[in-house]
PDB file of all heavy atoms in Angstrom:
ATOM      1  N   VAL A 269     -13.064 -29.262   9.398  1.00 83.00           N
ATOM      2  CA  VAL A 269     -14.410 -28.834   9.644  1.00 83.00           C
ATOM      3  C   VAL A 269     -14.508 -28.475  11.018  1.00 83.00           C
ATOM      4  O   VAL A 269     -15.347 -27.594  11.452  1.00 83.00           O
ATOM      5  CB  VAL A 269     -15.407 -29.926   9.153  1.00 83.00           C
ATOM      6  CG1 VAL A 269     -16.805 -29.461   9.583  1.00 83.00           C
ATOM      7  CG2 VAL A 269     -15.351 -29.961   7.655  1.00 83.00           C
ATOM      8  N   ASN A 270     -13.975 -29.234  11.980  1.00 82.00           N
ATOM      9  CA  ASN A 270     -13.975 -28.919  13.365  1.00 82.00           C
ATOM     10  C   ASN A 270     -12.692 -28.517  14.036  1.00 82.00           C
ATOM     11  O   ASN A 270     -11.922 -29.437  14.598  1.00 82.00           O
ATOM     12  CB  ASN A 270     -14.612 -30.186  14.135  1.00 82.00           C
ATOM     13  CG  ASN A 270     -15.900 -30.641  13.641  1.00 82.00           C
ATOM     14  OD1 ASN A 270     -16.886 -29.821  13.547  1.00 82.00           O
ATOM     15  ND2 ASN A 270     -15.914 -31.943  13.257  1.00 82.00           N
ATOM     16  N   PRO A 271     -12.186 -27.267  13.696  1.00 76.00           N
ATOM     17  CA  PRO A 271     -10.798 -26.935  14.090  1.00 76.00           C
ATOM     18  C   PRO A 271     -10.400 -27.034  15.538  1.00 76.00           C
ATOM     19  O   PRO A 271      -9.327 -27.105  15.810  1.00 76.00           O
ATOM     20  CB  PRO A 271     -10.728 -25.519  13.605  1.00 76.00           C
ATOM     21  CG  PRO A 271     -12.133 -25.004  13.546  1.00 76.00           C
ATOM     22  CD  PRO A 271     -12.932 -26.164  13.229  1.00 76.00           C
ATOM     23  N   ARG A 272     -11.476 -27.123  16.453  1.00 78.00           N
ATOM     24  CA  ARG A 272     -11.214 -27.096  17.819  1.00 78.00           C
ATOM     25  C   ARG A 272     -11.357 -28.509  18.431  1.00 78.00           C
ATOM     26  O   ARG A 272     -11.391 -28.672  19.694  1.00 78.00           O
ATOM     27  CB  ARG A 272     -11.977 -26.085  18.630  1.00 78.00           C
ATOM     28  CG  ARG A 272     -11.632 -24.673  18.216  1.00 78.00           C
ATOM     29  CD  ARG A 272     -12.489 -23.594  18.920  1.00 78.00           C
ATOM     30  NE  ARG A 272     -11.947 -22.260  18.691  1.00 78.00           N
ATOM     31  CZ  ARG A 272     -12.305 -21.689  17.443  1.00 78.00           C
ATOM     32  NH1 ARG A 272     -13.001 -22.190  16.472  1.00 78.00           N
ATOM     33  NH2 ARG A 272     -11.749 -20.418  17.222  1.00 78.00           N
ATOM     34  N   MET A 273     -11.527 -29.501  17.643  1.00 77.00           N
ATOM     35  CA  MET A 273     -11.776 -30.845  18.056  1.00 77.00           C
ATOM     36  C   MET A 273     -10.714 -31.386  18.985  1.00 77.00           C
ATOM     37  O   MET A 273     -10.946 -32.360  19.748  1.00 77.00           O
ATOM     38  CB  MET A 273     -12.106 -31.762  16.942  1.00 77.00           C
ATOM     39  CG  MET A 273     -10.900 -32.075  16.028  1.00 77.00           C
ATOM     40  SD  MET A 273     -11.373 -33.270  14.645  1.00 77.00           S
ATOM     41  CE  MET A 273     -11.524 -34.853  15.712  1.00 77.00           C
ATOM     42  N   PHE A 274      -9.486 -30.921  18.921  1.00 75.00           N
ATOM     43  CA  PHE A 274      -8.312 -31.460  19.493  1.00 75.00           C
ATOM     44  C   PHE A 274      -8.017 -30.577  20.794  1.00 75.00           C
ATOM     45  O   PHE A 274      -7.055 -30.982  21.552  1.00 75.00           O
ATOM     46  CB  PHE A 274      -7.054 -31.533  18.697  1.00 75.00           C
ATOM     47  CG  PHE A 274      -7.233 -32.571  17.530  1.00 75.00           C
ATOM     48  CD1 PHE A 274      -6.532 -32.445  16.409  1.00 75.00           C
ATOM     49  CD2 PHE A 274      -7.848 -33.713  17.727  1.00 75.00           C
ATOM     50  CE1 PHE A 274      -6.619 -33.334  15.315  1.00 75.00           C
ATOM     51  CE2 PHE A 274      -8.037 -34.628  16.774  1.00 75.00           C
ATOM     52  CZ  PHE A 274      -7.349 -34.498  15.585  1.00 75.00           C
ATOM     53  N   GLU A 275      -8.657 -29.447  21.007  1.00 75.00           N
ATOM     54  CA  GLU A 275      -8.244 -28.591  22.070  1.00 75.00           C
ATOM     55  C   GLU A 275      -8.292 -29.161  23.511  1.00 75.00           C
ATOM     56  O   GLU A 275      -7.538 -28.769  24.365  1.00 75.00           O
ATOM     57  CB  GLU A 275      -9.095 -27.359  22.084  1.00 75.00           C
ATOM     58  CG  GLU A 275      -8.765 -26.315  20.907  1.00 75.00           C
ATOM     59  CD  GLU A 275      -9.412 -25.066  20.941  1.00 75.00           C
ATOM     60  OE1 GLU A 275     -10.401 -24.930  21.785  1.00 75.00           O
ATOM     61  OE2 GLU A 275      -9.195 -24.225  20.129  1.00 75.00           O
ATOM     62  N   THR A 276      -9.245 -30.043  23.722  1.00 77.00           N
ATOM     63  CA  THR A 276      -9.534 -30.621  25.001  1.00 77.00           C
ATOM     64  C   THR A 276      -8.732 -31.987  25.251  1.00 77.00           C
ATOM     65  O   THR A 276      -8.788 -32.477  26.287  1.00 77.00           O
ATOM     66  CB  THR A 276     -10.998 -30.820  25.287  1.00 77.00           C
ATOM     67  OG1 THR A 276     -11.582 -31.744  24.374  1.00 77.00           O
ATOM     68  CG2 THR A 276     -11.804 -29.374  25.208  1.00 77.00           C
ATOM     69  N   LEU A 277      -8.113 -32.408  24.160  1.00 77.00           N
ATOM     70  CA  LEU A 277      -7.455 -33.733  24.312  1.00 77.00           C
ATOM     71  C   LEU A 277      -6.194 -33.575  25.114  1.00 77.00           C
ATOM     72  O   LEU A 277      -5.398 -32.587  24.966  1.00 77.00           O
ATOM     73  CB  LEU A 277      -7.077 -34.260  22.944  1.00 77.00           C
ATOM     74  CG  LEU A 277      -8.249 -34.701  22.124  1.00 77.00           C
ATOM     75  CD1 LEU A 277      -7.714 -35.234  20.733  1.00 77.00           C
ATOM     76  CD2 LEU A 277      -9.042 -35.928  22.754  1.00 77.00           C
ATOM     77  N   GLU A 278      -5.940 -34.492  26.011  1.00 79.00           N
ATOM     78  CA  GLU A 278      -4.687 -34.503  26.810  1.00 79.00           C
ATOM     79  C   GLU A 278      -3.532 -34.964  25.830  1.00 79.00           C
ATOM     80  O   GLU A 278      -3.664 -35.902  25.151  1.00 79.00           O
ATOM     81  CB  GLU A 278      -4.887 -35.446  27.961  1.00 79.00           C
ATOM     82  CG  GLU A 278      -3.621 -35.444  28.845  1.00 79.00           C
ATOM     83  CD  GLU A 278      -3.841 -36.447  29.997  1.00 79.00           C
ATOM     84  OE1 GLU A 278      -4.950 -36.957  30.250  1.00 79.00           O
ATOM     85  OE2 GLU A 278      -2.737 -36.612  30.716  1.00 79.00           O
ATOM     86  N   VAL A 279      -2.571 -34.268  25.957  1.00 80.00           N
ATOM     87  CA  VAL A 279      -1.292 -34.562  25.127  1.00 80.00           C
ATOM     88  C   VAL A 279      -0.280 -35.329  26.005  1.00 80.00           C
ATOM     89  O   VAL A 279       0.192 -34.798  26.959  1.00 80.00           O
ATOM     90  CB  VAL A 279      -0.690 -33.227  24.462  1.00 80.00           C
ATOM     91  CG1 VAL A 279       0.441 -33.590  23.588  1.00 80.00           C
ATOM     92  CG2 VAL A 279      -1.732 -32.555  23.726  1.00 80.00           C
ATOM     93  N   THR A 280       0.019 -36.451  25.520  1.00 83.00           N
ATOM     94  CA  THR A 280       1.221 -37.231  26.106  1.00 83.00           C
ATOM     95  C   THR A 280       2.340 -37.159  25.174  1.00 83.00           C
ATOM     96  O   THR A 280       2.158 -37.417  24.001  1.00 83.00           O
ATOM     97  CB  THR A 280       0.867 -38.640  26.481  1.00 83.00           C
ATOM     98  OG1 THR A 280       0.256 -39.237  25.303  1.00 83.00           O
ATOM     99  CG2 THR A 280      -0.297 -38.676  27.632  1.00 83.00           C
ATOM    100  N   ASN A 281       3.435 -36.819  25.584  1.00 85.00           N
ATOM    101  CA  ASN A 281       4.723 -36.756  24.748  1.00 85.00           C
ATOM    102  C   ASN A 281       5.259 -38.077  24.397  1.00 85.00           C
ATOM    103  O   ASN A 281       6.376 -38.460  24.760  1.00 85.00           O
ATOM    104  CB  ASN A 281       5.781 -35.901  25.486  1.00 85.00           C
ATOM    105  CG  ASN A 281       5.252 -34.347  25.739  1.00 85.00           C
ATOM    106  OD1 ASN A 281       4.627 -33.834  24.827  1.00 85.00           O
ATOM    107  ND2 ASN A 281       5.622 -33.843  26.868  1.00 85.00           N
ATOM    108  N   ILE A 282       4.381 -38.753  23.594  1.00 91.00           N
ATOM    109  CA  ILE A 282       4.835 -40.089  23.052  1.00 91.00           C
ATOM    110  C   ILE A 282       6.022 -39.919  22.000  1.00 91.00           C
ATOM    111  O   ILE A 282       6.926 -40.720  22.000  1.00 91.00           O
ATOM    112  CB  ILE A 282       3.761 -40.823  22.444  1.00 91.00           C
ATOM    113  CG1 ILE A 282       2.700 -41.188  23.595  1.00 91.00           C
ATOM    114  CG2 ILE A 282       4.228 -42.126  21.780  1.00 91.00           C
ATOM    115  CD1 ILE A 282       1.406 -41.859  22.972  1.00 91.00           C
ATOM    116  N   TYR A 283       6.009 -38.919  21.322  1.00 94.00           N
ATOM    117  CA  TYR A 283       6.821 -38.716  20.157  1.00 94.00           C
ATOM    118  C   TYR A 283       7.761 -37.523  20.412  1.00 94.00           C
ATOM    119  O   TYR A 283       7.373 -36.557  21.051  1.00 94.00           O
ATOM    120  CB  TYR A 283       6.136 -38.370  18.795  1.00 94.00           C
ATOM    121  CG  TYR A 283       5.357 -39.557  18.288  1.00 94.00           C
ATOM    122  CD1 TYR A 283       3.948 -39.594  18.437  1.00 94.00           C
ATOM    123  CD2 TYR A 283       5.942 -40.575  17.635  1.00 94.00           C
ATOM    124  CE1 TYR A 283       3.281 -40.673  17.934  1.00 94.00           C
ATOM    125  CE2 TYR A 283       5.146 -41.711  17.151  1.00 94.00           C
ATOM    126  CZ  TYR A 283       3.856 -41.751  17.274  1.00 94.00           C
ATOM    127  OH  TYR A 283       3.191 -42.789  16.833  1.00 94.00           O
TER     128      TYR A 283
END
Side-chain angles (χ1 to χ4, degrees):
V269 172
N270 304 307
R272 293 178 176 81
M273 68 178 289
F274 292 148
E275 284 186 355
T276 59
L277 291 179
E278 181 180 353
V279 182
T280 53
N281 293 319
I282 294 175
Y283 293 103

